[in-house]
Structures are given as C-alpha cells and as structure tokens.
C-alpha cells in the first residue's frame, strides 16, 4: 500500500488521498441496474469504471467488500414518484410475472458483465429481498420526525430535514431553488411539498408487486434500497459509494438525506461518479430510446453500427477516456479503439518472445513509476494507456534490435504489462474472450506454414510466395523470423 491513491470526491469537489476507515478493509457500494431490459453501452461504463477501482484496490493489498445492488422493485417510470414500476410495466407487456422479468434480465446482465471481463461483486443484494430492513429504516426516519404518512404512503419531509441538515449538498441544489422550480395544485398530491420523495408507496388495486406494512400494502421507494443495503452490508459509515453522474440528483442526494435522518450522520466518506456515454451529444439511455445494447455492439446488429465490436474493444474504448469525462459514441472511435487494443496485444505477444541481452538500455523502473502515478491520480486510465504505448514502442525497438534489455529488466517489463493490462485494467486476449476461434486459426496456420516451410526447403519459391500472398489476401499477415514466424490478423 505504498502507492497513495487519490480520488475525486464529488462531495468535496476535489481530489483527496484515499484513506480507508478500517484498513486494510475497504467498503465499496455501487448502484447497479434496474433489470427490465438488456444492458446497454451506458451500463458498461460504471461497471468497468468501478471494476478497475475494485481491481486496483485489491492489487494494492486492500481487502475489499464490493456491493452492487439489483433494483427489482420501486423504480417508477417517473422519478418524481409517479407512473408504473418499470419492471411491472415490462411484465404486463410480456404477460409474465415481474420476477420472471427480473431473473431473465439479471441473467443477461451477468452474461454481458462476464463478456466485459468485470469481476463479480462480493455481494449482489436485491431490493425485493430487503423489504423488512427497508420498513425498519422508514420507522427510524418517522420516529426522528423527518417523514410523514399520507393515505397509506410515507414521504420524506425535505423541508423538515433541511432545517437541521443541508439538503442538496452533494449536487449543489438549494431548497429555495427546488421551491422555485416545482409547482403543484392544491389538493392534487399526497405530498406536503412536490420535492418530498416516497419512502413507501401504497399499491393501487392493479399493482402486482406489493408487501404488507404498518402503513399499507405497498412497496418501497426507489431511493430507500441503497441506503438500506449499503449500510446493512458495509456498516453505518463506509468508504466509497459509486454510480453514474445521472444518479447524483435525486437518487444519491436522497440516500444522504435518508441515512442522515435515520442515524444522525452521513454514511459515505467518498462519493465517486462516472460521467455519461453520449450519442450525438445526448445521454444514452433506455428512456430516451437512443441506446445500443451490449449484445448489439458485440453482434453489430444495430443500424448505427458499421461493424460488430468485441467486448475487449468496448472495454478498451471506455478506458481510453477518464471516467469523469463525457464519452461520445462513434464508429470511428470504436474502430480506433479496436486498432489500439490489437496493437497493445500484439506488443505483449512480442514481449513474451523477446530474448534477454547482456546489456540493458531500457528504464523499466521509470515506466512502472509513471504507470502507478497515472492510476493513483484518480484512476487516470487514458494517461496509463499512453504510458503503456510508450512501452510498446520500446518493446518493438528491442525486437528490431535497436534497444537492449537484460534478464532482470525483461522480467520486470513482463510483470508490468501483466499487472497493468490484465490484472488492473481487466483486459484479456481476444482469443480468451471470443472463444476458441483464435486458437483454431493458429493451428490451421501452423499446418499451412509447415507446408510453406517444406516448399522453402525444396526451394519451391513459387509455392512459398503463393501461400504467403494468399494468407495476406485473407487478412493474415505473416512475418518470417529467425525462430520461425509471427502472424497477425488485419
């Protein structure tokens, strides 16, 4: 843990050195998906961002408990506590039980996460599995005077809370602005104020998902689950809470208010938010209908896609931008990411076959220090990748005989690329992620190249050149080396 990681804390609006509450233990909670449809490119960004954080914290020696929730109840089509439950709406359309929808899309989400090579969280709690705990949290908030019951529903009293604690400190919203920007007609709402939010909603007669409670048969509000489950599994105060920037308000703001209202103090020490993926400058999302599912990306079956993109290309594309910067989708950007990823993997293959020299002209320690410096600076993966490509030039220079590396530095260089590329950034060779195609192609090439070798031994240059040219026409580049040959796919 010699490396001092700094992270940008959204609450303080500055970078802070990360100091866990109870080292070497770290508590990390990240908002997961609402499972009523397939995961899209926008879902990939927080999954990959916090996967890298999880991986790096573990690499530094911390024992991390990583919680990522599954929202399977309470997330309404309108975030202002109106409309249908998103999962129930989908269940009615498909004529299925809501939990069939939940299971189906949770399974598909897990499959996509595995394709992207994200590590599984330590615990993945479901909102519907914590109804009792959510009711107990509501009782605490009611007892402390920060909520009220209205016709079987329970609402958080933002105005009462704001008199004791500042509401809006995470997002910078002020209650005066909320008053000015919202309006309601007298007698048209159960709420005292339009910006109050639901802790418990009374179920209408046609509502399928419902549980008994002291107030009514109903269901919990969307914001409640994260306050409840994060503190259940990580304690009343824990280290890091992550999620997309779009959750900063109202979701995370409401989480802060709920936890503080119940326990008298905030739960989270560091708030981290990844920025959005946009398409033509607009946030990508299901509600806007402009999303590209991960399955479509991997298959190429979407009108805006010029080709399929592999899971590792998508992961590399996301890592090429800093997690707090917006990232705009384009085929050109993904195609560039594909080339960059392939170049990096090709260099790692070359690195594995390098032979050490008696002399050394490569400063591996300096490169390693730069890589750590980039990651410790708020997970600056694009800077890290730029340093790795500086190393790629060095690797190619050694292979061409223009630089030298001794045994000790060669081992350090191999460790550097294994640690940063595979262990921390979570990339892997495409053959491992795309099945056995790469391995099969290699075996076929071995057979073809053995025929070419025999032709060269017989001085049958016409056959030898024909094999090489036909492979090139098929998109396979073959390069003769003193130890045999190397190949790559264009």
């Amino acid at each position: 843990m010699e490396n001092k990681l700094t992270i940008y804390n959204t609450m303080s609006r500055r970078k802070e050195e990360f100091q866990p509450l109870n080292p070497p233990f770290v508590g990390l909670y990240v908002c997961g998906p609402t499972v009523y449809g397939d995961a899209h490119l926008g879902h990939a960004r927080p999954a990959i961002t916090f996967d890298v954080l999880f991986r790096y914290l573990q690499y530094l020696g911390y024992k991390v408990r990583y919680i990522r929730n599954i929202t399977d109840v309470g997330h309404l089509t309108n975030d202002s506590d109106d409309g249908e439950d998103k999962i129930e709406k989908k269940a009615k359309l498909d004529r299925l039980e809501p939990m069939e929808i939940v299971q189906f899309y949770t399974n598909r989400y897990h499959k996509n996460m595995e394709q992207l090579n994200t590590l599984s969280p330590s615990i993945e709690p479901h909102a519907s599995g914590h109804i009792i705990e959510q009711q107990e949290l509501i009782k605490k908030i009611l007892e402390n005077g920060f909520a009220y019951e209205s016709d079987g529903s329970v609402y958080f009293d933002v105005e009462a809370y704001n008199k004791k604690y500042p509401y809006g400190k995470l997002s910078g919203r002020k209650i005066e602005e909320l008053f000015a920007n919202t309006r309601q007609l007298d007698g048209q709402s159960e709420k005292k104020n339009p910006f109050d939010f639901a802790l418990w909603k009374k179920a209408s007669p046609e509502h399928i998902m419902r549980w008994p409670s002291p107030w009514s048969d109903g269901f919990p509000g969307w914001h409640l689950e994260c306050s409840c489950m994060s503190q259940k599994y990580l304690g009343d105060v824990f280290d890091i809470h992550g999620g997309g920037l779009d959750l900063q308000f109202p979701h995370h703001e409401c989480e802060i208010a709920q936890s503080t209202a119940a326990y008298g103090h905030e739960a989270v020490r560091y708030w981290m938010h990844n920025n959005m993926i946009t398409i033509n400058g607009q946030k990508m999302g299901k509600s806007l209908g402009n999303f590209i599912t991960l399955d479509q990306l991997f298959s190429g079956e979407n009108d805006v896609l010029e080709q399929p993109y592999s899971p590792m290309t998508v992961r590399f594309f996301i890592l090429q931008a800093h997690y707090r910067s917006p990232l705009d989708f384009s085929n050109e950007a993904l195609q560039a990411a594909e080339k960059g990823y392939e170049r990096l993997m090709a260099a790692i293959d070359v690195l594995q076959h390098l032979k050490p020299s008696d002399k050394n002209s490569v400063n591996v320690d300096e490169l390693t220090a730069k890589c750590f410096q980039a990651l410790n600076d708020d997970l600056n993966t694009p800077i890290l990748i730029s340093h790795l490509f500086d190393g790629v030039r060095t690797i190619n220079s050694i292979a061409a005989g223009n630089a030298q590396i001794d045994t000790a530095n060669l081992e350090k260089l191999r460790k550097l690329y294994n640690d940063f590329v595979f262990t921390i950034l979570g990339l892997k060779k495409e053959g491992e992620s795309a099945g056995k195609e790469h391995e099969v192609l290699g075996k076929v090439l071995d057979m073809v190249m053995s025929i070419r070798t025999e032709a060269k031994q017989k001085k049958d240059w016409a056959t030898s050149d024909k094999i090489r040219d036909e492979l090139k026409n098929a998109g396979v580049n073959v390069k003769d080396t003193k130890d045999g040959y190397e190949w790559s796919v264009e």
Side-chain angles (χ1 to χ4, degrees):
M1 300 178 206
E2 300 170 1
N3 290 285
K4 296 294 186 182
L5 170 65
T6 61
I7 57 179
Y8 183 86
N9 190 344
T10 311
M11 181 65 80
S12 65
R13 292 164 179 75
R14 61 182 174 85
K15 293 178 188 176
E16 299 177 6
E17 183 180 321
F18 175 63
Q19 296 180 326
L21 185 64
N22 296 305
F25 302 100
V26 172
L28 168 64
Y29 186 92
V30 177
C31 288
T34 302
V35 282
Y36 68 102
D38 280 333
H40 57 69
L41 186 57
H43 291 117
R45 194 169 199 192
I48 291 169
T49 294
F50 293 103
D51 182 62
V52 170
L53 176 64
F54 183 34
R55 287 169 175 272
Y56 189 47
L57 288 170
Q58 290 185 112
Y59 181 84
L60 293 177
Y62 293 112
K63 299 180 185 300
V64 187
R65 180 178 290 174
Y66 172 23
I67 314 295
R68 185 182 65 207
N69 68 304
I70 295 289
T71 297
D72 58 0
V73 66
H75 196 171
L76 304 185
T77 51
N78 187 322
D79 287 348
S80 62
D81 303 322
D82 294 321
E84 291 183 89
D85 185 293
K86 292 184 176 185
I87 289 161
E88 187 165 304
K89 181 180 179 181
K90 178 66 173 172
K92 288 176 181 176
L93 285 171
D94 291 356
R95 297 187 176 183
L96 295 170
E97 281 288 331
M99 286 305 158
E100 285 185 86
I101 296 295
V102 168
Q103 192 65 56
F104 180 78
Y105 286 110
T106 300
N107 290 346
R108 290 173 69 83
Y109 177 77
H110 287 158
K111 178 190 171 189
N112 287 153
M113 294 303 104
E114 185 178 346
Q115 290 170 310
L116 290 169
N117 201 32
T118 65
L119 301 176
S120 297
S122 314
I123 305 173
E124 192 175 55
H126 288 232
S128 64
H130 296 75
I131 299 298
I132 293 172
E133 292 93 333
Q134 291 180 77
Q135 290 181 2
E136 291 303 308
L137 188 58
I138 293 170
K139 289 175 186 176
K140 281 190 176 71
I141 297 171
L142 278 166
E143 288 168 8
N144 291 339
F146 298 115
Y148 56 90
E149 185 181 349
S150 178
D151 193 27
S153 294
V154 180
Y155 293 97
F156 191 92
D157 192 334
V158 172
E159 191 173 18
Y161 173 84
N162 192 64
K163 289 176 181 176
K164 187 170 184 180
Y165 306 103
Y167 180 78
K169 60 188 299 188
L170 180 69
S171 61
R173 310 283 179 104
K174 297 188 181 300
I175 197 167
E176 295 80 16
E177 295 172 1
L178 296 175
F179 267 119
N181 294 330
T182 57
R183 62 183 292 273
Q184 70 182 57
L185 300 175
D186 290 341
Q188 298 258 320
S189 174
E190 301 171 339
K191 301 179 185 181
K192 289 182 181 178
N193 289 299
F195 44 76
D196 292 346
F197 56 90
L199 301 175
W200 186 264
K201 285 283 285 184
K202 180 180 178 180
S204 58
E206 67 275 8
H207 200 93
I208 304 169
M209 302 173 78
R210 59 173 67 217
W211 290 263
S213 80
W215 313 287
S216 65
D217 279 6
F219 54 93
W222 171 39
H223 311 303
L224 195 65
E225 63 177 282
C226 289
S227 288
C228 174
M229 296 189 295
S230 62
Q231 292 177 281
K232 175 181 173 68
Y233 294 110
L234 298 176
D236 286 355
V237 179
F238 60 93
D239 294 303
I240 303 171
H241 193 316
L245 192 61
D246 57 331
L247 297 177
Q248 184 178 331
F249 187 90
H251 187 53
H252 291 161
E253 201 73 78
C254 294
E255 276 190 60
I256 293 168
Q258 289 165 162
S259 298
T260 306
Y263 299 105
H265 59 78
E266 293 179 33
V268 180
R269 301 177 69 242
Y270 300 87
W271 284 94
M272 295 180 70
H273 292 91
N274 64 273
N275 214 316
M276 299 296 100
I277 289 184
T278 57
I279 181 164
N280 298 322
Q282 187 180 37
K283 175 200 161 188
M284 185 178 289
K286 286 195 187 85
S287 58
L288 297 171
N290 65 349
F291 63 94
I292 304 166
T293 70
L294 292 173
D295 284 343
Q296 288 171 342
L297 271 167
F298 303 155
S299 68
E301 295 173 359
N302 187 297
D303 290 343
V304 304
L305 297 173
E306 294 179 3
Q307 65 177 75
Y309 299 100
S310 73
M312 287 303 99
T313 295
V314 173
R315 187 174 179 111
F316 192 74
F317 165 68
I318 288 171
L319 292 172
Q320 280 186 306
H322 191 269
Y323 77 91
R324 287 194 291 113
S325 301
L327 177 59
D328 198 51
F329 163 85
S330 72
N331 282 284
E332 294 76 16
L334 275 160
Q335 287 160 8
E338 184 176 60
K339 288 185 174 64
Y341 163 76
E342 289 172 351
R343 184 175 163 225
L344 182 59
M345 291 300 120
I348 291 172
D349 284 339
V350 171
L351 176 60
Q352 298 312 309
H353 295 96
L354 288 181
K355 299 291 189 289
S357 171
D358 293 334
K359 297 180 180 179
N360 182 70
S361 61
V362 178
N363 192 337
V364 180
D365 291 338
E366 182 182 8
L367 179 60
T368 303
K370 287 180 178 178
C371 290
F372 275 116
Q373 186 178 8
L375 268 183
N376 289 331
D377 184 15
D378 193 30
L379 298 182
N380 202 325
T381 57
I383 297 298
L384 168 60
I385 289 170
S386 73
H387 291 322
L388 290 172
F389 276 112
D390 287 341
V392 165
R393 285 189 284 275
T394 299
I395 290 167
N396 291 333
S397 183
I398 296 168
N402 298 324
Q404 295 174 307
I405 191 165
D406 60 21
T407 301
N409 279 289
L410 180 57
E411 287 305 308
K412 284 196 282 188
L413 191 60
R414 285 173 178 163
K415 184 179 185 325
L416 184 156
Y417 276 84
N418 183 72
D419 288 357
F420 283 98
V421 175
F422 300 128
T423 304
I424 298 170
L425 291 183
L427 295 166
K428 63 181 183 180
K429 292 183 180 179
E430 206 60 68
E432 296 170 19
S433 62
K436 294 189 176 180
E437 292 90 344
H438 192 87
E439 182 182 344
V440 170
L441 179 58
K443 290 178 179 178
V444 171
L445 275 171
D446 285 341
M447 180 184 68
V448 172
M449 291 301 289
S450 68
I451 296 171
R452 183 170 180 256
T453 300
E454 288 177 13
K456 288 170 71 176
Q457 288 171 348
K458 295 176 182 177
K459 298 186 178 180
D460 183 358
W461 309 120
T463 300
S464 172
D465 292 346
K466 181 175 174 60
I467 290 173
R468 183 197 60 206
D469 294 342
E470 289 298 326
L471 285 172
K472 184 171 180 61
N473 291 337
V476 180
N477 283 323
V478 175
K479 180 182 177 183
D480 292 312
T481 67
K482 63 179 180 179
D483 298 317
Y485 72 95
E486 296 173 355
W487 63 275
S488 61
V489 178
E490 288 184 347

